[in-house]
Amino acid sequence: MPICRICKKKKLSLVFNYKKNAFAGSLLKKSQIKNEKKFDLKLLYCDNCSHLQINKLVDPGLLFNNYLWETGISNSNIKLINNLVKDIKKYTNKRKKNNFFEIASNDGSCLKIIKKNFDGKIIGIDPAKKIAANANKNGIYTINKFFSAKNSQIIKSRFNLFNICIARNVIAHVQDPVDIFFGVKEIIEKDGIFILEFPHLLNIYKELQYDNVFHEHVGYHSLKSIIDICLITDMKVINVKKINSQGGSLRVFISKNKKHKVSRSVNKILIEESKIKLFNKKIWMNFNSKIKNNLNKLEKLLNNLHKKNKKISVYGASGKGQSLLQLIKNSDKIFDKVYDKSKMKQGLYTPGTHIKISNPSNIYIDKPDYIFVCTWNLIDEIVEEHKKFILNGGKFIIPFPLPKIIK
Ligand SMILES: [Zn+2]
């Protein structure tokens, strides 16, 4: 029986059953396809604290040691980091050195930009072997480990305290978010700031982003769920901002100094969350039929095109979308190829559906009629980069909130 990862109660209700799925982030070599394992995936709602999460506890080592997502790969992501730097400057002291720590620092892209802007100690931690090694090669000191309250003790004794701790797109991935908060509390100064970025549950609900649910995304957070964790760990949310990332995210600023002034934006977003009844069980029970409805429409659209012998490929081999491809019936027959900019992914096969991943430059050789965009959150960037595909008569398909063809 699974327990809620925030309140630790065993009162979880089923929102949607994704059935057996392969890990969305684990792309395969051809030889690995026959030994691929699939695991149960269910989206659950906590009757006690309203937290949304998945059921399965999968060994995080299995999930992330071979994780291939690289921060530096997307231009929009670099823009977001520059914007983060601006926000950080409101909380740092210009005359002093400011020390930074980043949890799940990935390829070091974020810390590299931080390094250009601030003077001080800069340390990252990331569990993915290959990616952490690359970051170290590029001059960003990166510990190849999972961050936890236990590891925070070792980090503190080795590096002392930090002014700013950043965790971008990581809180959704962790089995025990409360433990992460306790760890951060341990390594930041008395007036240190913990900055979190994560896809906002509000958008997942409003825009029906059910592709956000996969084994690597354990919990789906709101401002309320972050405040709930702060109450347990004796910390305080002092500011929040909406950012254009992952289909709509929040950037939350947390302090362990309880006397810190709280920005008005905190109350504003809390009101917005409660206005659409985000913590009401009924809306999540209805989410089930909304997902089924969207999936039916999508399958109908794709099957019709497939029957007309249209050549359909996919853009984006990120985790997001891989649970969607696994939900769509006959994905392996409907889709020809998956295009992705990451060189690390090219030549590999998608999890569960086993479609070959290829360099987007091949779009102009393969000439698909339609490209189904799994990384729909980057659609503007993709359209900009592939104007030529549209000019040649190609069409993009996006899945949410309603399946739509972009000409
Ligand atoms: Zn709970």
Side-chain angles (χ1 to χ4, degrees):
M1 179 82 182
I3 62 162
C4 171
R5 293 184 180 90
I6 295 180
C7 75
K8 315 292 181 197
K9 295 266 183 353
K10 286 186 182 175
K11 288 183 177 168
L12 301 172
S13 303
L14 179 70
V15 175
F16 190 77
N17 189 352
Y18 289 75
K19 304 203 175 116
K20 281 201 184 303
N21 265 13
F23 295 154
S26 292
L27 306 175
L28 309 157
K29 288 181 191 148
K30 202 169 190 177
S31 60
Q32 292 171 318
I33 290 176
K34 60 180 190 300
N35 295 321
E36 186 183 46
K37 287 195 175 74
K38 291 189 176 181
F39 299 87
D40 262 345
L41 180 64
K42 290 187 183 103
L43 180 62
L44 307 171
Y45 169 88
C46 174
D47 290 358
N48 183 53
C49 77
S50 306
H51 182 47
L52 268 289
Q53 58 204 300
I54 60 161
N55 58 317
K56 195 75 184 174
L57 282 165
V58 180
D59 172 10
L62 266 181
L63 279 174
F64 293 111
N65 287 347
N66 297 315
Y67 203 58
L68 292 177
W69 197 75
E70 292 171 283
T71 309
I73 216 78
S74 125
N75 297 334
S76 349
N77 209 344
I78 300 295
K79 263 190 213 156
L80 275 167
I81 298 168
N82 284 322
N83 176 270
L84 172 67
V85 166
K86 269 193 200 160
D87 282 346
I88 290 174
K89 284 184 177 162
K90 294 173 200 155
Y91 294 100
T92 49
N93 190 330
K94 267 183 211 151
R95 277 162 296 169
K96 275 198 209 156
K97 280 194 174 173
N98 293 284
N99 300 323
F100 288 82
F101 189 82
E102 189 185 7
I103 302 171
S105 50
N106 200 264
D107 59 4
S109 289
C110 177
L111 289 178
K112 232 179 181 173
I113 297 175
I114 300 262
K115 207 175 175 178
K116 276 188 208 151
N117 284 276
F118 300 94
D119 220 10
K121 182 174 58 189
I122 285 171
I123 310 284
I125 186 166
D126 199 284
K129 260 185 226 158
K130 221 170 161 181
I131 286 172
N134 283 345
N136 274 310
K137 257 186 243 161
N138 293 327
I140 298 298
Y141 190 90
T142 307
I143 308 163
N144 181 216
K145 270 197 171 69
F146 279 100
F147 181 78
S148 64
K150 204 176 146 201
N151 284 340
S152 71
Q153 301 287 344
I154 307 165
I155 293 161
K156 192 169 93 176
S157 65
R158 260 183 84 188
F159 302 103
N160 213 343
L161 297 175
F162 297 87
N163 305 87
I164 304 279
C165 176
I166 304 164
R168 303 178 66 237
N169 292 316
V170 55
I171 201 72
H173 291 272
V174 300
Q175 302 284 0
D176 191 349
V178 176
D179 181 73
I180 298 289
F181 275 54
F182 275 125
V184 171
K185 202 179 164 190
E186 197 63 35
I187 60 161
I188 57 171
E189 304 262 7
K190 190 174 141 267
D191 279 308
I193 304 286
F194 177 29
I195 304 170
L196 271 177
E197 288 179 9
F198 54 88
H200 192 187
L201 180 67
L202 186 96
N203 294 82
I204 295 177
Y205 174 73
K206 276 204 322 209
E207 288 172 29
L208 201 64
Q209 299 165 0
Y210 60 93
D211 61 336
N212 235 308
V213 179
F214 48 91
H215 292 103
E216 290 88 334
H217 279 178
V218 181
Y220 308 89
H221 289 274
S222 56
L223 183 58
K224 179 201 172 284
S225 73
I226 299 301
I227 291 175
D228 285 346
I229 303 172
C230 283
L231 287 173
I232 298 169
T233 53
D234 200 27
M235 290 167 94
K236 190 179 179 185
V237 169
I238 56 166
N239 197 358
V240 60
K241 180 180 174 180
K242 288 187 182 184
I243 53 169
N244 185 13
S245 159
Q246 308 280 341
S249 292
L250 288 184
R251 178 178 292 156
V252 180
F253 301 79
I254 296 163
S255 170
K256 68 177 183 186
N257 177 1
K258 302 283 285 292
K259 287 182 188 144
H260 209 296
K261 205 175 116 236
V262 178
S263 154
R264 258 192 241 163
S265 58
V266 174
N267 213 18
K268 216 173 128 196
I269 292 191
L270 280 177
I271 290 170
E272 197 184 339
E273 287 180 348
S274 65
K275 251 190 187 162
I276 69 152
K277 299 190 168 66
L278 200 57
F279 312 111
N280 181 323
K281 187 173 176 180
K282 212 170 148 191
I283 69 149
W284 290 105
M285 295 301 109
N286 291 337
F287 201 61
N288 179 295
S289 50
K290 285 186 176 177
I291 295 179
K292 282 181 184 154
N293 196 9
N294 177 280
L295 197 56
N296 280 339
K297 285 195 172 116
L298 197 54
E299 284 177 336
K300 214 169 161 184
L301 172 75
L302 293 167
N303 276 316
N304 278 340
L305 296 172
H306 183 60
K307 268 185 217 153
K308 287 180 192 159
N309 287 322
K310 297 291 180 195
K311 203 167 167 182
I312 317 170
S313 282
V314 174
Y315 196 99
S318 61
K320 186 202 282 291
Q322 295 310 313
S323 66
L324 181 59
L325 288 189
Q326 294 188 71
L327 277 175
I328 296 170
K329 268 181 225 126
N330 298 323
S331 271
D332 53 335
K333 293 184 185 73
I334 294 172
F335 302 116
D336 263 16
K337 269 186 193 170
V338 173
Y339 300 107
D340 199 286
K341 264 162 91 174
S342 165
K343 290 215 160 54
M344 282 167 122
K345 294 178 182 176
Q346 291 162 11
L348 298 175
Y349 291 80
T350 55
T353 47
H354 311 148
I355 308 164
K356 196 169 183 179
I357 302 163
S358 168
N359 188 320
S361 64
N362 289 326
I363 290 173
Y364 304 96
I365 298 165
D366 305 334
K367 298 191 169 84
D369 299 299
Y370 292 85
I371 294 180
F372 178 60
V373 182
C374 273
T375 42
W376 48 265
N377 50 312
L378 302 175
I379 184 70
D380 294 341
E381 190 175 326
I382 294 164
V383 168
E384 187 62 36
E385 275 175 35
H386 295 284
K387 274 182 196 154
K388 207 176 124 193
F389 168 69
I390 298 183
L391 288 173
N392 290 346
K395 296 174 185 79
F396 287 110
I397 302 171
I398 50 166
F400 308 117
L402 277 172
K404 194 166 92 183
I405 295 175
I406 302 175
K407 288 175 196 171

